[in-house]
Amino acid sequence: MRVQNSEISAMLRKLADLLAIEGANPFRIRAYQQAARTIDALPGPVADMLDAGMDLAKLPGIGKDLAQKIAHIVRTGDFPLLDSVMARTPPVLTELLQVPGLGPRKVEQLYETLGIETLEDFEKALQDGRVAALRGFGPRSVARLAQAVATLRRKGPEKRWPIIAAVPVAEALLQHLRGFSGAVRVEMAGSFRRRKETVGDLDIVAEAENGPGLIRHFCTFPDVKQVELKGVTRGTVVLNSGLHVDLRVGQAGSYGTMLAYFTGARAHTIALRKRAVQRGWKLNEYGLFDETGTALAGPDEAGIYAAFGLAPIPPELREMQGELAAAGKNALPDLVTGEQVQGDAHVESGGDPAAQLRAAGARGLRWIGIADAYRDAETLARQIAEIEALPAGAGKLRVLKSASIAIGVDGGLEIAPDLLARLDYLHVRIDDPAGLTELAQTTRLRKAMDFAAMHGVRLLLGRVTGRRLNAPPEWRIALDEVLQAAAAQGHVFEVNQRDGFYGLGDIECHRAVKHAVR
């Protein structure tokens, strides 16, 4: 049974979290976090790379030792180092890490300060005020954590996967299903097809000459851990990673409406149904029918929109953000394609900027920005010198100098002005919300922006918007105020996905455009 990339990265992140609780060397912790990011970003399965004889140590941020550990995970499915760390870690710490809003630092604080040994202990400490008395835990935070614990008990840990981790799984599933002789059409649906940042599960819609046969074939996918449903038109499985996958098989005449229905978004689908009702029609997953029951659309999605006088709407735009009105005027925006991307502002060097330069050239990029996490002035100065020493115009590709630095609680950026002057831009992030209110968090960010502007450095605003998995309220900022300041000072926001943190999403990008932020 092949180990998926998402399982490998999950093991690496869990190890990093547990090591952080233990107070291990920060460089060691970051090494596992970086390795997890690298694995998530790979275009194909690690198992296939190893089968092809590739040396994983050549991947960014993965040295010889880590490469051997990852290869062992792929071969055996086991991670002995993680097992040994878990064996010496009090079980409650692993349990608390599953509570949304609790990271390694807060879990360690709860354990060391309050002596929390069980989830029940944590619940009591929330109720009797001991948690609220700790630095970084306010009344709203305590109320939210109490609700999160209740939800955890009722539903179990909520798990969402960054879409970049779900892509190789989805591609492998599609390849498996399309390899069935009776499969006619097979497509991903749901939030994955709409390219949302995270997915809670995967939905697949298919048309097949032999529906039950395709369902049985689906259940033989090598990564299936448990078969929950194996019916005539629907199958549900759980993969080894814990990801649920649902397959629905329809007929040729209803494939399009079924695909549209299970793609969503729900608000978009409801709006189309209302348009059907206004005309006396009926729209559901089985087709679009007029008042006499005659089918108006069904075999393909384009027919649904055409029946309403609309241009076909790409799945990525089906979020009820004005797409129906735009489709009626034939004024839908063009989606950005990978071929149009000319540069990458957040590349980590892996200790070898020249290698990243070659990799970017292979991707057809025109420029990259090296933005390693800032460690110390000496390391950054050495990296700047390495970048400046790269051959001029190598591969007709430009390399920009940057560094990724955390904003202090007081809004400070502890980096020497002489180094700032040598950078093309500075990438900033908030690593710890520090229990601040939205106003204080916004003030904190504004101070960092003012500091950079004073030194003539443009900021790449990365994980500062509070848009992350299970983000607590402390991460929130007054986004429009920050966008306004960014526009005035020439700062730029990041569109990205790293470590469960996100830059601006589609909705926030619309707001940025209104403020003339790049």
Side-chain angles (χ1 to χ4, degrees), residues 282-298:
K282 181 179 180 180
L283 173 63
N284 55 33
E285 62 189 278
Y286 303 107
L288 174 62
F289 307 95
D290 67 13
E291 60 275 8
T292 67
T294 302
L296 302 174

Side-chain angles (χ1 to χ4, degrees), residues 203-379:
D203 295 288
I204 306 175
V205 172
E207 174 196 343
E209 297 172 355
N210 178 1
L214 182 62
I215 297 291
R216 289 193 296 271
H217 182 70
F218 167 61
C219 294
T220 66
F221 182 63
D223 195 37
V224 169
K225 178 181 181 180
Q226 177 182 345
V227 176
E228 292 194 339
L229 176 65
K230 184 162 61 174
V232 177
T233 61
R234 182 181 175 186
T236 303
V237 300
V238 181
L239 305 184
N240 286 308
S241 62
L243 185 63
H244 282 69
V245 186
D246 207 21
L247 170 65
R248 292 174 174 83
V249 183
Q251 302 299 315
S254 62
Y255 176 82
T257 46
M258 180 174 284
L259 181 60
Y261 180 84
F262 288 108
T263 294
R266 186 170 181 268
H268 178 91
T269 304
I270 289 174
L272 287 177
R273 282 179 165 181
K274 287 182 177 178
R275 292 194 175 210
V277 170
Q278 290 168 358
R279 290 166 170 77
W281 301 347
K282 181 179 180 180
L283 173 63
N284 55 33
E285 62 189 278
Y286 303 107
L288 174 62
F289 307 95
D290 67 13
E291 60 275 8
T292 67
T294 302
L296 302 174
D300 58 73
E301 287 183 309
I304 303 170
Y305 294 105
F308 291 113
L310 303 174
I313 300 176
E316 294 88 342
L317 299 181
R318 301 178 194 174
E319 301 292 343
M320 280 310 289
Q321 295 295 319
E323 70 272 15
L324 291 174
K329 300 174 183 176
N330 203 26
L332 288 167
D334 294 326
L335 298 178
V336 176
T337 66
E339 291 73 21
Q340 291 174 296
V341 176
Q342 297 183 30
D344 187 340
H346 195 162
V347 174
E348 295 183 1
S349 71
D352 190 352
Q356 292 299 329
L357 183 64
R358 292 191 295 271
R363 290 167 60 191
L365 299 182
R366 295 177 58 185
W367 62 272
I368 58 171
I370 301 293
D372 285 353
Y374 179 70
R375 298 179 182 178
D376 54 70
E378 183 181 350
T379 302

Side-chain angles (χ1 to χ4, degrees), residues 35-340:
R37 289 197 296 267
T38 297
I39 296 299
D40 277 341
L42 292 175
V46 174
D48 289 352
M49 295 179 174
L50 290 171
D51 290 345
M54 180 178 174
D55 181 5
L56 298 182
K58 294 182 179 180
L59 294 172
I62 296 181
K64 184 177 180 180
D65 180 62
L66 252 177
Q68 292 175 344
K69 288 182 171 66
I70 293 170
H72 181 83
I73 293 172
V74 173
R75 286 195 309 270
T76 67
D78 296 323
F79 192 4
L81 178 58
L82 176 60
D83 293 340
S84 65
V85 173
M86 289 183 66
R88 65 176 184 253
T89 301
V92 67
L93 301 187
T94 303
E95 197 171 15
L96 288 176
L97 282 172
Q98 296 178 342
V99 178
L102 287 182
R105 188 176 298 181
K106 285 191 173 181
V107 166
E108 179 188 16
Q109 182 183 11
L110 289 167
Y111 183 72
E112 295 292 340
T113 307
L114 301 182
I116 301 294
E117 294 187 355
T118 65
L119 195 59
E120 288 77 11
D121 287 347
F122 181 50
E123 286 181 293
K124 290 177 183 177
L126 286 169
Q127 294 167 2
D128 63 25
R130 283 179 291 151
V131 174
L134 296 178
R135 182 180 180 275
F137 292 89
R140 288 186 302 171
S141 175
V142 168
R144 186 189 64 258
L145 288 170
Q147 181 61 45
V149 172
T151 302
L152 180 65
R153 286 196 176 283
R154 188 172 66 254
K155 297 183 177 180
E158 180 183 1
K159 176 67 175 175
R160 294 192 68 82
W161 280 257
I163 193 168
I164 194 170
V167 166
V169 180
E171 290 177 344
L173 280 161
L174 290 177
Q175 183 179 13
H176 177 75
L177 291 169
R178 289 168 180 167
F180 181 68
S181 59
V184 179
R185 290 184 284 183
V186 183
E187 293 292 343
M188 300 302 302
S191 55
F192 180 91
R193 187 167 181 242
R194 301 198 318 276
R195 286 300 190 264
K196 303 303 291 181
E197 291 167 322
T198 64
V199 297
D201 51 27
L202 293 177
D203 295 288
I204 306 175
V205 172
E207 174 196 343
E209 297 172 355
N210 178 1
L214 182 62
I215 297 291
R216 289 193 296 271
H217 182 70
F218 167 61
C219 294
T220 66
F221 182 63
D223 195 37
V224 169
K225 178 181 181 180
Q226 177 182 345
V227 176
E228 292 194 339
L229 176 65
K230 184 162 61 174
V232 177
T233 61
R234 182 181 175 186
T236 303
V237 300
V238 181
L239 305 184
N240 286 308
S241 62
L243 185 63
H244 282 69
V245 186
D246 207 21
L247 170 65
R248 292 174 174 83
V249 183
Q251 302 299 315
S254 62
Y255 176 82
T257 46
M258 180 174 284
L259 181 60
Y261 180 84
F262 288 108
T263 294
R266 186 170 181 268
H268 178 91
T269 304
I270 289 174
L272 287 177
R273 282 179 165 181
K274 287 182 177 178
R275 292 194 175 210
V277 170
Q278 290 168 358
R279 290 166 170 77
W281 301 347
K282 181 179 180 180
L283 173 63
N284 55 33
E285 62 189 278
Y286 303 107
L288 174 62
F289 307 95
D290 67 13
E291 60 275 8
T292 67
T294 302
L296 302 174
D300 58 73
E301 287 183 309
I304 303 170
Y305 294 105
F308 291 113
L310 303 174
I313 300 176
E316 294 88 342
L317 299 181
R318 301 178 194 174
E319 301 292 343
M320 280 310 289
Q321 295 295 319
E323 70 272 15
L324 291 174
K329 300 174 183 176
N330 203 26
L332 288 167
D334 294 326
L335 298 178
V336 176
T337 66
E339 291 73 21
Q340 291 174 296

